[in-house]
Amino acid sequence: MTILALLLAFSATEKAAAARITAAEISAHVRFLSDDQLEGRKPGQPGDELAIKYLASQLEAMGYRPAGDNGTFLQPVPLVELAGEIPREVIFNPGPKELRLRTDQGIQADLVLGPSAHKDLESVKDAPVVFAGYGITAPEYGWDDYKDVDVKGKVVVLMNFNPPFKGEGVRVWYGRWDYKYLNAARHGAAGAIIIHTTPSAGYPWQVVVTSWGTPHQNLPPGPDDKFMEFRGWITESAALKLTQLGAQDLDKLRKSAESKDFRPVALGSTMSLEMPVHLKTIQSANVIGILPGTDPMLKDQAVLYTAHHDHLGSRPVPPGQDGIFNGALDNASGCATVAAIARAATFARPRRSILVAFVTAEEQGLLGSEWLARHPPIPANQIAADINLDSVNIWGRTNDLGVLGLGKSSADAVIRKVAAEQGRTVHGDPFPDRGAFYRSDMFSMARVGVPPVSVKGGPDYVGRPKGWGEEQNVLYERRHYHQPSDEYHGDWDLSGDVQDAQLQLIVGLRLANAPSLPSWTPGDEFEGARKTASK
């Protein structure tokens, strides 16, 4: 269906607003936000501040009102940066029979480590190493990898991914690395090391190395937060050597961990580590604006659009090499598209308000959206939905639309209708093994009860053979994801992004004009959060 034909399916107001979204506008925002001058937009760095000021100025120019703190467009997000002095190698089972794993050889490293606890020196001394399967405690599935085994003060080695709780090859929250670290800390582990494989992670080892190559950032610790001495990843080949050190077979251990009856297994080795840590308080910000609704009874409710403005920053490299992680697709593209949608919405002025939030520190663990969820400009139970954009479609128009979290709320019906008016079919996440729903900012908002709308065209591209879309995704992950090569050269086909953006705009307008707020599907994992927020 052509752009003209699809616009004919919309109301006159929707047509006028949707026609305002252009590839040129999106391109212009991407060019600026991913420019070398912004130095990769790492929170707390000058490039981050420049991105924040740019996005705030754009919202002001569009006519949005400040929705941050103290009458501004900024919601300051306090962060603590932890820079660990990582030893060049770590020795397991020191003595005649020992294993030395290197941490300082780039993608050839055996082990990647980072600090976890907020203190000047993080250390373990002769800590026993234990294989703890997936490291999952999920009572609703009758699953507990830790059982009654005491791992306090020990180092747990964990598998990535999760058992087939929601079907074979479907990653849920329990299959995410950040959950595994949190759960290990709750069980008192001194440290946790996750075994990397490309299939179980959804990305190659080089992504781990680059993502962990600069100091990590956290929100300030709360009184109930639990921390380990360190967190880490290990290559599969190094994990094989580690299990062999204790006369264990890695494949047999992993096979046993597929059963609910699994119990942690001591690997017969110990680990010691001393890691000085330099802690620094830094400041970043979420950029938040609001377009007030026109209905006196509904304007205190809102539809939320989010995209994260941060990326990985830059790092020293030899002359002639590129050390800037520009983050053009991830996620200058999402910010650019939300900005285009936000401007288009001003030509529609729906009954409910439109909230726009460009959030920080997503790459550090969804920290900006977590802060937003804790401190929303309006109560979370008054937010109709979070329409989140993270790495948009840059390969052209599609015949289909993938929906992350399909089936979670009644907002799906609106998505399906608008997609049908565009002549597109709707399906769930085309790459369910990646667990994308749980690794982007709509997850933070879902945890406080806000229904998600996260959509992206593909992988069935107009005029392309079957499988072409999947190939483009795989190539991007292998070559550019979290790499300096994620740059913008003006060569993207943004027609598909415009197609998606028009849908995201129209879905938002219809939710903003609907008689009532969307509801969670009964029994959904986040339904209880909405109910709690409504009390």
Side-chain angles (χ1 to χ4, degrees):
M1 185 179 289
T2 65
I3 292 178
L4 176 61
L6 69 89
L7 289 176
L8 293 175
F10 299 155
S11 71
T13 300
E14 291 171 346
K15 290 180 197 177
R20 300 281 177 170
I21 298 174
T22 67
E25 180 180 5
I26 294 169
S27 176
H29 291 310
V30 174
R31 283 187 188 278
F32 182 85
L33 291 169
S34 63
D35 189 84
D36 281 357
Q37 189 173 351
L38 276 74
E39 301 175 328
R41 308 187 306 278
K42 184 167 184 180
Q45 298 297 313
D48 172 58
E49 185 176 354
L50 189 56
I52 288 168
K53 289 180 177 178
Y54 177 81
L55 293 167
S57 69
Q58 293 300 309
L59 289 178
E60 184 174 10
M62 295 172 193
Y64 280 70
R65 295 181 183 176
D69 293 358
N70 302 317
T72 73
F73 285 97
L74 307 188
Q75 180 186 57
V77 179
L79 298 169
V80 180
E81 187 165 273
L82 295 82
E85 295 183 21
I86 313 298
R88 296 181 64 180
E89 64 178 12
V90 176
I91 304 174
F92 291 83
N93 208 29
K97 186 181 179 183
E98 64 184 19
L99 175 65
R100 295 174 177 262
L101 297 182
R102 298 296 299 266
T103 67
D104 65 342
Q105 296 177 314
I107 63 172
Q108 301 302 319
D110 305 303
L111 194 64
V112 171
L113 299 177
S116 176
H118 289 233
K119 56 185 184 179
D120 295 331
L121 179 65
E122 302 186 13
S123 65
V124 294
K125 179 65 174 175
D126 298 327
V129 181
V130 177
F131 177 73
Y134 286 109
I136 292 172
T137 304
E140 69 272 34
Y141 296 113
W143 195 280
D144 182 8
D145 283 319
Y146 288 94
K147 303 293 191 298
D148 56 355
V149 176
D150 183 9
V151 298
K152 187 174 182 180
K154 301 177 181 179
V155 174
V156 293
V157 177
L158 307 172
M159 296 161 59
N160 209 343
F161 215 79
N162 51 260
F165 293 144
K166 291 288 185 71
E168 195 67 40
V170 177
R171 190 188 304 266
V172 297
W173 169 228
Y174 295 118
R176 291 279 299 136
W177 57 264
D178 41 358
Y179 163 80
K180 295 174 187 294
Y181 292 138
L182 286 170
N183 199 37
R186 292 190 194 109
H187 283 83
I193 303 173
I194 297 174
I195 302 169
H196 174 272
T197 68
T198 297
S200 68
Y203 40 75
W205 177 246
Q206 67 188 35
V207 172
V208 177
V209 173
T210 55
S211 299
W212 286 58
T214 58
H216 181 67
Q217 297 167 347
N218 283 331
L219 292 173
D224 298 324
D225 289 342
K226 305 293 184 183
F227 295 102
M228 301 179 291
E229 296 294 305
F230 72 91
R231 309 182 305 169
W233 290 80
I234 187 171
T235 65
E236 186 176 29
S237 59
L240 179 64
K241 295 175 183 177
L242 178 59
T243 53
Q244 289 174 341
L245 184 67
Q248 297 284 351
D249 184 288
L250 179 59
D251 288 335
K252 288 182 179 179
L253 288 171
R254 289 190 286 200
K255 180 66 175 177
S256 67
E258 300 292 343
S259 168
K260 289 183 178 181
D261 298 328
F262 167 81
R263 294 176 64 83
V265 177
L267 292 183
S269 58
T270 61
M271 174 184 173
S272 296
L273 173 71
E274 283 204 355
M275 184 192 307
V277 180
H278 305 279
L279 289 88
K280 180 172 65 174
T281 300
I282 64 173
Q283 196 77 41
S284 187
N286 297 330
V287 181
I288 314 175
I290 189 167
L291 183 69
T294 58
D295 189 319
M297 301 296 293
L298 297 179
K299 68 179 182 179
D300 291 337
Q301 299 177 343
V303 171
L304 172 66
Y305 286 88
T306 54
H308 74 88
H309 63 70
D310 66 296
H311 200 54
L312 300 176
S314 61
R315 61 202 62 181
V317 294
Q321 294 187 20
D322 185 0
I324 299 176
F325 291 74
N326 303 79
L329 183 56
D330 183 16
N331 186 37
S333 70
C335 290
T337 306
V338 166
I341 293 170
R343 190 179 71 87
T346 65
F347 295 91
R349 302 304 295 259
R351 298 170 68 196
R352 290 184 178 84
S353 298
I354 299 293
L355 261 177
V356 174
F358 300 104
V359 297
T360 188
E362 188 267 358
E363 303 290 7
Q364 303 297 320
L366 313 184
L367 303 184
S369 56
E370 181 180 341
W371 190 261
L372 176 66
R374 292 184 192 178
H375 310 282
I378 65 173
N381 63 5
Q382 298 301 300
I383 300 177
D386 174 20
I387 303 177
N388 184 66
L389 281 74
D390 191 349
S391 301
V392 305
N393 172 19
I394 60 171
W395 297 302
R397 296 173 56 78
T398 66
N399 298 306
D400 62 339
L401 185 76
V403 182
L404 304 186
L406 183 66
K408 285 189 167 296
S409 82
S410 60
D412 289 351
V414 182
I415 298 171
R416 289 184 184 278
K417 189 171 191 308
V418 179
E421 291 168 2
Q422 289 186 320
R424 292 201 282 178
T425 59
V426 168
H427 54 76
D429 186 352
F431 309 104
D433 60 306
R434 307 298 201 269
F437 180 87
Y438 301 96
R439 54 193 274 196
S440 196
D441 293 302
M442 66 274 187
F443 177 49
S444 296
M445 301 309 300
R447 295 178 79 176
V448 295
V450 179
V453 173
S454 182
V455 301
K456 186 175 179 180
D460 181 9
Y461 284 80
V462 175
R464 299 290 188 176
K466 182 176 176 58
W468 184 87
E470 289 93 333
E471 290 176 3
Q472 304 316 302
N473 275 280
V474 170
L475 287 173
Y476 170 74
E477 287 177 351
R478 290 179 178 175
R479 297 176 180 176
H480 307 301
Y481 178 58
H482 283 197
Q483 303 301 313
S485 57
D486 183 5
E487 298 179 316
Y488 183 52
H489 303 289
D491 54 350
W492 294 349
D493 182 350
L494 291 171
S495 62
D497 184 31
V498 171
Q499 183 187 30
D500 289 349
Q502 290 177 333
L503 178 140
Q504 290 154 335
L505 169 68
I506 302 303
V507 168
L509 293 177
R510 292 186 184 179
L511 292 174
N513 288 319
S516 59
L517 297 175
S519 59
W520 288 94
T521 300
D524 186 85
E525 59 188 315
F526 301 111
E527 181 190 21
R530 188 69 150 189
K531 290 180 177 178
T532 301
S534 300
K535 293 181 180 179

